[in-house]
């Protein structure tokens, strides 16, 4: 199922089946999650349409909690490895669709996918690079093949936000990972920067690479301004979840649009979707977006759970979890990659939050008598007695 989620995203709704796993978390972690959930629901009561906002806030919050519970159930980031296979299928689909419909010119305009936005495709490629890099003990032939496909997809997508995530996440994993420092985690980010610099200096005809070192904001400053002005209309509770689109006038004026790849193929937004086009407009900054939709109250809850998860990730020392949490956090400055629902990349972030929260203490609870059975990991955790510290999280040197 994890492998199929990138191909058919609604499968991540299976996370609701793990909801009861939240009871395995220590009391401190449950209090943080309660504060987050309460802040989202209370904020909705101060929105212009409180009943609608309360229903939408409840749905979004329960989905987020379910995804965190799925991370608690998985316990170890090695159980996320199957997502790589589905992501590789997405890359093959993107290349096949773009080349068959637009040829090499389509790649020059930035590689796209029928239902993954260009930036999303770049971020998914970054996650694949991390999975390949940290998957120790696997056969070299497929790791090199998968890594090169992910790298080629990332470069052809030409997205600067994912490049920021790749650089910051890789540096964080290198500096904060509990295991032996592995300098090669920086190879993908370094290689991309070198290629982009070479393309610019040698004037190579590779437009996506040129874009990676472009310092333009692509109009984001206007979107940020709209978000702040929209928030000022309802400072405490915001305008309500999924209701901020009309306030982002810089984006809203363009009407309903599908992915750039479909637009280039003259596939326009169906009339039936036009009325909902504002729902997926984002403020291109996660905290401004949450401030617009949840006000000061909702943003406080988000900051609490994000900050706590980053701290716990460093304590646990799992390099993949560190890379995802810190990389996504950096990219949230210019995009919104933690807002659900998405094509699975935002959901992956919340699952990693669950893995970071379960930590060592959570594993003690998960292995205690009477606890729900956890999925089979790559090794059997040693039995522990209540109150005793357990061995650290996954050993990435094991295959």
């Amino acid at each position: 199922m994890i492998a199929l989620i990138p191909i058919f995203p609604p499968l991540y709704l299976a996370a609701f089946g793990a909801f009861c796993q939240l009871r395995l978390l220590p009391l401190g972690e449950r209090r943080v999650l309660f504060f987050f959930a309460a802040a989202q629901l209370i904020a909705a009561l101060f929105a212009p349409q409180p009943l609608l906002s309360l229903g939408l806030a409840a749905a979004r919050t329960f989905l987020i909690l379910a995804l965190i519970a799925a991370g608690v159930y998985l316990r170890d980031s090695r159980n996320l490895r199957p997502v790589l296979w589905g992501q590789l299928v997405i890359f093959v689909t993107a290349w096949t669709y773009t080349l068959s419909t637009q040829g090499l010119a389509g790649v020059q305009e930035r590689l796209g996918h029928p239902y993954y936005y260009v930036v999303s495709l770049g971020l998914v490629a970054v996650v694949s690079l991390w999975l390949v890099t940290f998957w120790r003990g696997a056969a070299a032939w497929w790791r090199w093949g998968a890594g090169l496909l992910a790298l080629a997809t990332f470069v052809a997508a030409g997205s600067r936000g994912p490049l920021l995530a790749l650089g910051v996440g890789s540096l964080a994993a290198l500096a904060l990972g509990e295991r032996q420092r592995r300098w090669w985690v920086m190879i993908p980010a370094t290689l991309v920067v070198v290629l982009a610099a070479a393309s610019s200096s040698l004037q190579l005809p590779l437009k996506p690479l040129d874009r990676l070192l472009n310092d333009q904001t692509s109009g984001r400053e206007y979107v940020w301004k709209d978000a702040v002005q929209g928030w000022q209309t309802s400072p405490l509770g915001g305008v309500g979840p999924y209701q901020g689109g009309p306030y982002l006038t810089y984006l809203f004026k363009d009407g309903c649009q599908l992915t750039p790849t479909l637009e280039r193929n003259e596939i326009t937004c169906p009339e039936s979707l036009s009325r909902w086009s504002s729902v997926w407009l984002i403020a291109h900054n996660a905290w401004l977006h949450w401030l617009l939709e949840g006000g000061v109250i909702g943003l406080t809850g988000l900051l609490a759970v994000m900050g706590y998860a980053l701290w716990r990730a460093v304590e646990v020392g799992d390099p993949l979890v560190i890379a995802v949490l810190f990389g996504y956090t950096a990219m949230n400055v210019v995009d919104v990659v933690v807002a659900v629902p998405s094509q699975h990349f935002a959901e992956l972030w919340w699952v990693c939050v669950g893995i970071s929260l379960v930590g060592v203490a959570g594993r003690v609870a998960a292995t205690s008598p009477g606890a729900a059975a956890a999925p089979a990991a790559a090794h059997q955790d040693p039995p522990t007695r209540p109150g005793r510290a357990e061995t650290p999280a996954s050993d990435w040197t094991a295959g």
Side-chain angles (χ1 to χ4, degrees), residues 9-387:
L11 284 174
Y12 56 63
L13 294 176
F16 282 102
F19 205 91
C20 63
Q21 297 291 313
L22 292 177
R23 66 184 175 85
L24 301 180
L25 287 174
L27 183 59
E29 277 74 2
R30 281 182 283 166
R31 285 174 174 169
V32 172
L33 295 182
F34 177 80
F35 177 76
F36 165 74
Q40 308 314 304
L41 300 180
I42 294 173
L45 297 177
F46 292 91
Q49 301 186 66
L51 290 180
L52 174 62
S53 299
L54 184 61
L56 293 173
R60 182 176 68 181
T61 302
F62 279 116
L63 175 57
I64 288 174
L65 292 178
L67 294 166
I68 294 175
V72 175
Y73 173 74
L74 292 175
R75 298 193 302 151
D76 194 310
S77 66
R78 285 181 295 179
N79 290 315
L80 289 174
R81 289 174 175 174
V83 78
L84 175 64
W85 310 124
Q87 293 182 161
L88 293 178
V89 172
I90 294 300
F91 303 154
V92 172
T93 305
W95 282 96
T96 301
Y97 183 81
T98 302
L99 290 174
S100 62
T101 59
Q102 302 167 26
L104 290 175
V107 178
Q108 287 282 57
E109 288 294 326
R110 297 175 73 185
L111 182 71
H113 188 275
Y115 56 90
Y116 276 79
Y117 198 77
V118 177
V119 178
S120 307
L121 189 62
L123 181 59
V124 172
V126 168
V127 173
S128 294
L129 287 171
W130 284 330
L131 286 167
V132 170
T133 302
F134 296 129
W135 194 329
R136 304 303 301 155
W141 66 269
W142 73 259
R143 288 180 63 203
W144 278 99
L148 290 174
L149 177 58
L151 185 62
T153 302
F154 171 76
V155 169
S159 298
R160 292 166 293 173
L163 177 59
L164 179 63
L166 178 62
V168 173
S170 300
L171 277 172
L174 179 64
L176 303 174
E178 193 176 72
R179 311 308 181 272
Q180 178 185 0
R181 304 291 185 259
R182 298 186 175 90
W183 58 268
W184 59 80
V185 70
M186 295 302 302
I187 289 179
T190 304
L191 184 58
V192 170
V193 172
V194 170
L195 286 174
S199 173
S200 178
S201 60
L202 300 177
Q203 296 184 343
L204 300 176
L206 297 172
K207 293 182 180 179
L209 268 177
D210 293 338
R211 193 178 184 281
L212 288 176
L213 297 184
N214 191 311
D215 60 355
Q216 301 300 312
T217 62
S218 302
R220 280 175 169 81
E221 67 272 22
Y222 302 113
V223 182
W224 297 335
K225 182 180 179 180
D226 288 342
V228 172
Q229 291 177 343
W231 161 69
Q232 290 173 341
T233 64
S234 181
L236 276 181
V239 300
Y242 310 111
Q243 299 168 68
Y247 295 87
L248 304 175
T249 55
Y250 183 80
L251 301 175
F252 188 71
K253 61 182 173 57
D254 294 330
C256 182
Q257 292 183 328
L258 300 177
T259 65
T261 307
L262 294 177
E263 294 286 343
R264 290 200 300 265
N265 287 334
E266 300 182 353
I267 300 176
T268 58
C269 186
E271 188 64 30
S272 58
L273 289 180
S274 296
R275 59 178 298 190
W276 307 106
S277 61
S278 65
V279 172
W280 54 79
L281 294 181
I282 59 172
H284 287 281
N285 178 290
W287 302 284
L288 283 179
H289 185 78
W290 224 275
L291 187 67
L292 171 64
E293 294 190 343
V296 174
I297 299 174
L299 178 61
T300 302
L302 176 68
L303 291 175
V305 74
M306 290 184 76
Y308 193 79
L310 290 172
W311 172 63
R312 293 294 289 121
V314 175
E315 279 201 330
V316 173
D318 187 316
L320 179 61
V321 172
I322 290 175
V324 170
L325 294 189
F326 279 84
Y328 274 48
T329 301
M331 186 174 170
N332 275 322
V333 174
V334 293
D335 269 295
V336 182
V337 290
V338 296
V340 294
S342 74
Q343 290 95 341
H344 88 281
F345 55 87
E347 288 74 11
L348 181 65
W349 193 87
W350 290 106
V351 170
C352 286
V353 168
I355 295 175
S356 72
L357 293 184
V358 73
V360 175
R363 288 196 176 97
V364 173
T367 54
S368 62
H379 68 286
Q380 181 66 38
D381 290 330
T384 58
R385 282 183 270 172

